[in-house]
mmCIF file of all heavy atoms in Angstrom:
data_model
loop_
_atom_site.group_PDB
_atom_site.id
_atom_site.type_symbol
_atom_site.label_atom_id
_atom_site.label_comp_id
_atom_site.label_asym_id
_atom_site.label_seq_id
_atom_site.Cartn_x
_atom_site.Cartn_y
_atom_site.Cartn_z
ATOM 1 N N ALA I 1 -0.157 1.871 3.484
ATOM 2 C CA ALA I 1 0.349 2.985 2.697
ATOM 3 C C ALA I 1 -0.812 3.840 2.135
ATOM 4 O O ALA I 1 -0.752 5.054 2.131
ATOM 5 C CB ALA I 1 1.198 2.492 1.476
ATOM 6 N N GLN I 2 -1.903 3.126 1.734
ATOM 7 C CA GLN I 2 -3.078 3.849 1.240
ATOM 8 C C GLN I 2 -3.696 4.672 2.347
ATOM 9 O O GLN I 2 -4.117 5.811 2.128
ATOM 10 C CB GLN I 2 -4.080 2.840 0.664
ATOM 11 C CG GLN I 2 -5.233 3.462 -0.048
ATOM 12 C CD GLN I 2 -6.183 2.421 -0.651
ATOM 13 O OE1 GLN I 2 -6.014 1.243 -0.440
ATOM 14 N NE2 GLN I 2 -7.117 2.891 -1.458
ATOM 15 N N VAL I 3 -3.766 4.118 3.566
ATOM 16 C CA VAL I 3 -4.320 4.861 4.711
ATOM 17 C C VAL I 3 -3.508 6.097 4.976
ATOM 18 O O VAL I 3 -3.996 7.179 5.195
ATOM 19 C CB VAL I 3 -4.449 3.928 5.962
ATOM 20 C CG1 VAL I 3 -4.622 4.731 7.209
ATOM 21 C CG2 VAL I 3 -5.499 2.873 5.778
ATOM 22 N N ARG I 4 -2.184 5.940 4.969
ATOM 23 C CA ARG I 4 -1.275 7.107 5.217
ATOM 24 C C ARG I 4 -1.486 8.192 4.200
ATOM 25 O O ARG I 4 -1.470 9.389 4.462
ATOM 26 C CB ARG I 4 0.204 6.650 5.208
ATOM 27 C CG ARG I 4 0.604 5.970 6.514
ATOM 28 C CD ARG I 4 2.121 5.830 6.627
ATOM 29 N NE ARG I 4 2.716 5.050 5.531
ATOM 30 C CZ ARG I 4 2.901 3.726 5.528
ATOM 31 N NH1 ARG I 4 2.474 3.013 6.576
ATOM 32 N NH2 ARG I 4 3.397 3.110 4.467
ATOM 33 N N MET I 5 -1.662 7.756 2.903
ATOM 34 C CA MET I 5 -1.861 8.731 1.819
ATOM 35 C C MET I 5 -3.176 9.457 2.046
ATOM 36 O O MET I 5 -3.278 10.671 1.899
ATOM 37 C CB MET I 5 -1.879 7.991 0.478
ATOM 38 C CG MET I 5 -1.706 8.963 -0.697
ATOM 39 S SD MET I 5 -1.328 8.134 -2.258
ATOM 40 C CE MET I 5 -2.631 6.952 -2.383
ATOM 41 N N LEU I 6 -4.255 8.706 2.368
ATOM 42 C CA LEU I 6 -5.557 9.372 2.606
ATOM 43 C C LEU I 6 -5.551 10.295 3.796
ATOM 44 O O LEU I 6 -6.140 11.371 3.788
ATOM 45 C CB LEU I 6 -6.646 8.280 2.750
ATOM 46 C CG LEU I 6 -6.985 7.501 1.513
ATOM 47 C CD1 LEU I 6 -7.887 6.336 1.830
ATOM 48 C CD2 LEU I 6 -7.659 8.379 0.446
ATOM 49 N N GLU I 7 -4.838 9.897 4.882
ATOM 50 C CA GLU I 7 -4.700 10.741 6.044
ATOM 51 C C GLU I 7 -3.947 12.049 5.667
ATOM 52 O O GLU I 7 -4.309 13.129 6.154
ATOM 53 C CB GLU I 7 -3.975 10.048 7.187
ATOM 54 C CG GLU I 7 -4.803 8.964 7.865
ATOM 55 C CD GLU I 7 -4.048 8.124 8.880
ATOM 56 O OE1 GLU I 7 -2.778 8.118 8.805
ATOM 57 O OE2 GLU I 7 -4.698 7.509 9.699
ATOM 58 N N ALA I 8 -2.921 11.933 4.870
ATOM 59 C CA ALA I 8 -2.203 13.145 4.449
ATOM 60 C C ALA I 8 -3.038 14.068 3.600
ATOM 61 O O ALA I 8 -3.045 15.304 3.745
ATOM 62 C CB ALA I 8 -0.937 12.737 3.664
ATOM 63 N N GLN I 9 -3.902 13.476 2.710
ATOM 64 C CA GLN I 9 -4.792 14.307 1.904
ATOM 65 C C GLN I 9 -5.817 14.978 2.807
ATOM 66 O O GLN I 9 -6.167 16.132 2.603
ATOM 67 C CB GLN I 9 -5.543 13.398 0.885
ATOM 68 C CG GLN I 9 -4.681 12.928 -0.255
ATOM 69 C CD GLN I 9 -5.349 11.964 -1.181
ATOM 70 O OE1 GLN I 9 -6.498 11.493 -0.901
ATOM 71 N NE2 GLN I 9 -4.732 11.601 -2.292
ATOM 72 N N LEU I 10 -6.312 14.271 3.800
ATOM 73 C CA LEU I 10 -7.269 14.843 4.735
ATOM 74 C C LEU I 10 -6.665 16.027 5.507
ATOM 75 O O LEU I 10 -7.270 17.100 5.663
ATOM 76 C CB LEU I 10 -7.765 13.760 5.764
ATOM 77 C CG LEU I 10 -8.781 14.184 6.786
ATOM 78 C CD1 LEU I 10 -10.056 14.766 6.097
ATOM 79 C CD2 LEU I 10 -9.153 13.054 7.679
ATOM 80 N N ARG I 11 -5.417 15.856 5.978
ATOM 81 C CA ARG I 11 -4.716 16.961 6.680
ATOM 82 C C ARG I 11 -4.544 18.144 5.733
ATOM 83 O O ARG I 11 -4.711 19.264 6.169
ATOM 84 C CB ARG I 11 -3.367 16.476 7.201
ATOM 85 C CG ARG I 11 -3.405 15.680 8.500
ATOM 86 C CD ARG I 11 -2.020 15.532 9.103
ATOM 87 N NE ARG I 11 -1.041 14.914 8.199
ATOM 88 C CZ ARG I 11 -0.914 13.601 8.074
ATOM 89 N NH1 ARG I 11 -1.681 12.754 8.715
ATOM 90 N NH2 ARG I 11 0.018 13.098 7.228
ATOM 91 N N ASP I 12 -4.199 17.898 4.483
ATOM 92 C CA ASP I 12 -4.040 19.007 3.531
ATOM 93 C C ASP I 12 -5.365 19.766 3.361
ATOM 94 O O ASP I 12 -5.372 20.979 3.343
ATOM 95 C CB ASP I 12 -3.604 18.469 2.148
ATOM 96 C CG ASP I 12 -2.130 18.003 2.182
ATOM 97 O OD1 ASP I 12 -1.420 18.349 3.154
ATOM 98 O OD2 ASP I 12 -1.718 17.329 1.215
ATOM 99 N N LYS I 13 -6.435 19.044 3.234
ATOM 100 C CA LYS I 13 -7.800 19.716 3.075
ATOM 101 C C LYS I 13 -8.147 20.486 4.334
ATOM 102 O O LYS I 13 -8.648 21.599 4.211
ATOM 103 C CB LYS I 13 -8.868 18.647 2.793
ATOM 104 C CG LYS I 13 -8.747 17.981 1.445
ATOM 105 C CD LYS I 13 -9.004 18.937 0.339
ATOM 106 C CE LYS I 13 -8.893 18.310 -1.015
ATOM 107 N NZ LYS I 13 -8.909 19.250 -2.123
ATOM 108 N N GLU I 14 -7.869 19.927 5.465
ATOM 109 C CA GLU I 14 -8.182 20.626 6.757
ATOM 110 C C GLU I 14 -7.371 21.905 6.841
ATOM 111 O O GLU I 14 -7.878 22.957 7.255
ATOM 112 C CB GLU I 14 -7.927 19.750 7.967
ATOM 113 C CG GLU I 14 -8.908 18.629 8.102
ATOM 114 C CD GLU I 14 -8.590 17.584 9.196
ATOM 115 O OE1 GLU I 14 -7.400 17.635 9.656
ATOM 116 O OE2 GLU I 14 -9.417 16.790 9.512
ATOM 117 N N MET I 15 -6.078 21.861 6.437
ATOM 118 C CA MET I 15 -5.241 23.060 6.474
ATOM 119 C C MET I 15 -5.745 24.100 5.485
ATOM 120 O O MET I 15 -5.742 25.271 5.730
ATOM 121 C CB MET I 15 -3.768 22.682 6.201
ATOM 122 C CG MET I 15 -3.078 22.030 7.333
ATOM 123 S SD MET I 15 -1.261 21.863 7.217
ATOM 124 C CE MET I 15 -1.010 21.206 5.630
ATOM 125 N N GLU I 16 -6.195 23.654 4.299
ATOM 126 C CA GLU I 16 -6.713 24.525 3.272
ATOM 127 C C GLU I 16 -7.982 25.263 3.823
ATOM 128 O O GLU I 16 -8.091 26.485 3.607
ATOM 129 C CB GLU I 16 -7.060 23.767 2.002
ATOM 130 C CG GLU I 16 -7.449 24.567 0.815
ATOM 131 C CD GLU I 16 -7.749 23.731 -0.393
ATOM 132 O OE1 GLU I 16 -7.280 22.595 -0.519
ATOM 133 O OE2 GLU I 16 -8.451 24.255 -1.261
ATOM 134 N N ILE I 17 -8.858 24.542 4.464
ATOM 135 C CA ILE I 17 -10.057 25.134 5.009
ATOM 136 C C ILE I 17 -9.718 26.142 6.087
ATOM 137 O O ILE I 17 -10.240 27.278 6.085
ATOM 138 C CB ILE I 17 -11.027 24.042 5.558
ATOM 139 C CG1 ILE I 17 -11.608 23.192 4.425
ATOM 140 C CG2 ILE I 17 -12.122 24.648 6.447
ATOM 141 C CD1 ILE I 17 -12.331 21.957 4.867
ATOM 142 N N GLU I 18 -8.760 25.791 7.010
ATOM 143 C CA GLU I 18 -8.290 26.731 8.014
ATOM 144 C C GLU I 18 -7.706 27.997 7.432
ATOM 145 O O GLU I 18 -7.929 29.126 7.874
ATOM 146 C CB GLU I 18 -7.334 26.064 8.986
ATOM 147 C CG GLU I 18 -7.909 25.034 9.912
ATOM 148 C CD GLU I 18 -8.979 25.642 10.826
ATOM 149 O OE1 GLU I 18 -8.769 26.708 11.416
ATOM 150 O OE2 GLU I 18 -10.034 24.989 10.942
ATOM 151 N N LEU I 19 -6.948 27.829 6.366
ATOM 152 C CA LEU I 19 -6.345 28.982 5.686
ATOM 153 C C LEU I 19 -7.395 29.876 5.086
ATOM 154 O O LEU I 19 -7.328 31.119 5.249
ATOM 155 C CB LEU I 19 -5.338 28.475 4.601
ATOM 156 C CG LEU I 19 -4.627 29.563 3.797
ATOM 157 C CD1 LEU I 19 -3.759 30.374 4.688
ATOM 158 C CD2 LEU I 19 -3.867 28.963 2.625
ATOM 159 N N LEU I 20 -8.403 29.288 4.463
ATOM 160 C CA LEU I 20 -9.488 30.067 3.837
ATOM 161 C C LEU I 20 -10.251 30.830 4.930
ATOM 162 O O LEU I 20 -10.645 31.963 4.721
ATOM 163 C CB LEU I 20 -10.425 29.167 3.029
ATOM 164 C CG LEU I 20 -9.824 28.669 1.683
ATOM 165 C CD1 LEU I 20 -10.735 27.594 1.089
ATOM 166 C CD2 LEU I 20 -9.527 29.788 0.700
ATOM 167 N N LYS I 21 -10.468 30.178 6.060
ATOM 168 C CA LYS I 21 -11.158 30.836 7.192
ATOM 169 C C LYS I 21 -10.383 32.064 7.668
ATOM 170 O O LYS I 21 -10.948 33.141 7.875
ATOM 171 C CB LYS I 21 -11.338 29.884 8.396
ATOM 172 C CG LYS I 21 -12.376 28.815 8.230
ATOM 173 C CD LYS I 21 -12.349 27.954 9.485
ATOM 174 C CE LYS I 21 -13.229 26.742 9.394
ATOM 175 N NZ LYS I 21 -13.210 25.970 10.625
ATOM 176 N N LYS I 22 -9.046 31.912 7.777
ATOM 177 C CA LYS I 22 -8.199 33.045 8.256
ATOM 178 C C LYS I 22 -8.194 34.175 7.233
ATOM 179 O O LYS I 22 -8.274 35.356 7.608
ATOM 180 C CB LYS I 22 -6.734 32.526 8.418
ATOM 181 C CG LYS I 22 -6.494 31.900 9.763
ATOM 182 C CD LYS I 22 -6.519 32.960 10.832
ATOM 183 C CE LYS I 22 -6.174 32.281 12.146
ATOM 184 N NZ LYS I 22 -6.534 33.094 13.297
ATOM 185 N N VAL I 23 -8.115 33.842 5.947
ATOM 186 C CA VAL I 23 -8.160 34.872 4.883
ATOM 187 C C VAL I 23 -9.464 35.652 4.986
ATOM 188 O O VAL I 23 -9.460 36.902 4.962
ATOM 189 C CB VAL I 23 -7.925 34.254 3.521
ATOM 190 C CG1 VAL I 23 -8.222 35.235 2.409
ATOM 191 C CG2 VAL I 23 -6.508 33.713 3.375
ATOM 192 N N LYS I 24 -10.576 34.940 5.072
ATOM 193 C CA LYS I 24 -11.866 35.569 5.093
ATOM 194 C C LYS I 24 -11.987 36.444 6.359
ATOM 195 O O LYS I 24 -12.494 37.545 6.326
ATOM 196 C CB LYS I 24 -12.966 34.495 5.129
ATOM 197 C CG LYS I 24 -14.312 35.003 4.786
ATOM 198 C CD LYS I 24 -14.343 35.513 3.340
ATOM 199 C CE LYS I 24 -15.757 35.747 2.880
ATOM 200 N NZ LYS I 24 -15.808 36.445 1.604
ATOM 201 N N GLU I 25 -11.464 35.913 7.467
ATOM 202 C CA GLU I 25 -11.511 36.638 8.776
ATOM 203 C C GLU I 25 -10.667 37.949 8.685
ATOM 204 O O GLU I 25 -11.074 39.006 9.129
ATOM 205 C CB GLU I 25 -10.939 35.766 9.868
ATOM 206 C CG GLU I 25 -11.006 36.349 11.228
ATOM 207 C CD GLU I 25 -10.395 35.401 12.322
ATOM 208 O OE1 GLU I 25 -10.837 34.215 12.351
ATOM 209 O OE2 GLU I 25 -9.519 35.878 13.011
ATOM 210 N N LEU I 26 -9.508 37.868 8.001
ATOM 211 C CA LEU I 26 -8.690 39.016 7.834
ATOM 212 C C LEU I 26 -9.273 40.071 6.893
ATOM 213 O O LEU I 26 -9.034 41.256 6.998
ATOM 214 C CB LEU I 26 -7.270 38.613 7.369
ATOM 215 C CG LEU I 26 -6.415 37.865 8.376
ATOM 216 C CD1 LEU I 26 -5.162 37.333 7.703
ATOM 217 C CD2 LEU I 26 -6.109 38.745 9.579
ATOM 218 N N GLU I 27 -10.068 39.606 5.974
ATOM 219 C CA GLU I 27 -10.769 40.501 5.048
ATOM 220 C C GLU I 27 -11.948 41.183 5.729
ATOM 221 O O GLU I 27 -12.591 42.044 5.111
ATOM 222 C CB GLU I 27 -11.215 39.736 3.809
ATOM 223 C CG GLU I 27 -10.100 39.314 2.890
ATOM 224 C CD GLU I 27 -10.562 38.454 1.732
ATOM 225 O OE1 GLU I 27 -11.713 38.031 1.692
ATOM 226 O OE2 GLU I 27 -9.714 38.173 0.822
#
């Protein structure tokens, strides 16, 4: 359960970074 939670947090962070890259690229 702890591994699943950490993997979910990692995916969230990766998506956040990708989103920030797209925003900066669009700007």
